[in-house]
Amino acid sequence: QQQVKQSPQSLIVQKGGISIINCAYENTAFDYFPWYQQFPGKGPALLIAIRPDVSEKKEGRFTISFNKSAKQFSLHIMDSQPGDSATYFCAASRRWGSGGYNKLIFGAGTRLAVHP
Amino acid sequence: DAGITQSPRYKITETGRQVTLMCHQTWSHSYMFWYRQDLGHGLRLIYYSAAADITDKGEVPDGYVVSRSKTENFPLTLESATRSQTSVYFCASTERLAGVRPQDTQYFGPGTRLTVL
């Protein structure tokens, strides 16, 4: 099974609050878990990523928490700001294809709105 | 300008017509990808290319054709457009690291919104 399940579909947070988006996967062959951020009218852009050998990665206000045994990972946005309003996609990848390409499997996305 | 560009940004066509979406990148990245983005499905891989003249199918290749005669270009053709192909299409690219392993980060273009009537 190659699905990556993401929740919630949409999220409203007040400025200064914590935004939490969750993802779950089934394929234990996945070895790379990125989060992409997409603003309206733009393409997705890598926000932060983690590998399964660590349980947490923090970059500024953005933190990935990773639970290998539960096959779950989540994005936490601390002190959420209106400028964080965007759609967030989790993804997972594993080696696939003769060229060793890491095929990215995306979650369905979460639309985050941060209200002032 | 450097980066990855897509054209057109918006396209309306009719069922049965052939449509080609263009993708151009200036980084000389080895790998290029085409995704479609639909509500509730995230991004799904249509085709990818590991180098010029090397292409392979992704998750949802039916109804699409790709070619890659030059490293910097990766056009996507809908040979006979259907309403189910109404979507936003994203092109992406990434570099090849040592050996054949690609870089993990993919760089996306701005997208083409295609409507098939």
Side-chain angles (χ1 to χ4, degrees), chain A residues 9 32 36 38 41-46 51 89 95-109 111, chain B residues 9 31 33 35 37 39-43 45 48 56-59 90 96 100-102 104-111:
Chain A
Q9 249 185 337
Y32 175 67
Y36 278 77
Q38 183 183 27
K42 306 290 185 181
L46 180 68
R51 294 198 179 275
F89 294 95
R95 293 217 170 270
W96 179 76
S98 59
Y101 158 55
N102 294 339
K103 179 185 175 185
L104 271 178
I105 308 295
F106 285 88
R111 182 171 290 185
Chain B
R9 295 293 314 278
Y31 285 86
F33 314 91
Y35 291 90
Q37 182 177 28
L39 198 63
H41 290 278
L43 292 102
L45 182 66
Y48 76 100
D56 206 349
K57 296 178 180 179
E59 296 174 72
F90 287 98
R96 182 193 302 273
V100 297
R101 186 176 185 278
D104 290 316
T105 304
Q106 293 188 16
Y107 301 90
F108 284 80

Side-chain angles (χ1 to χ4, degrees), chain B residues 41-111:
Chain B
H41 290 278
L43 292 102
R44 292 180 291 175
L45 182 66
I46 303 171
Y47 269 95
Y48 76 100
S49 170
D53 297 322
I54 301 175
T55 62
D56 206 349
K57 296 178 180 179
E59 296 174 72
V60 288
D62 293 342
Y64 303 96
V65 175
V66 293
S67 62
R68 192 151 177 225
S69 57
K70 292 184 177 181
T71 299
E72 61 266 29
N73 297 323
F74 191 37
L76 176 74
T77 298
L78 289 67
E79 293 189 302
S80 179
T82 65
R83 289 198 180 93
S84 65
Q85 293 177 310
T86 293
S87 186
V88 181
Y89 291 85
F90 287 98
C91 179
S93 71
T94 195
E95 184 50 278
R96 182 193 302 273
L97 300 178
V100 297
R101 186 176 185 278
Q103 184 185 23
D104 290 316
T105 304
Q106 293 188 16
Y107 301 90
F108 284 80

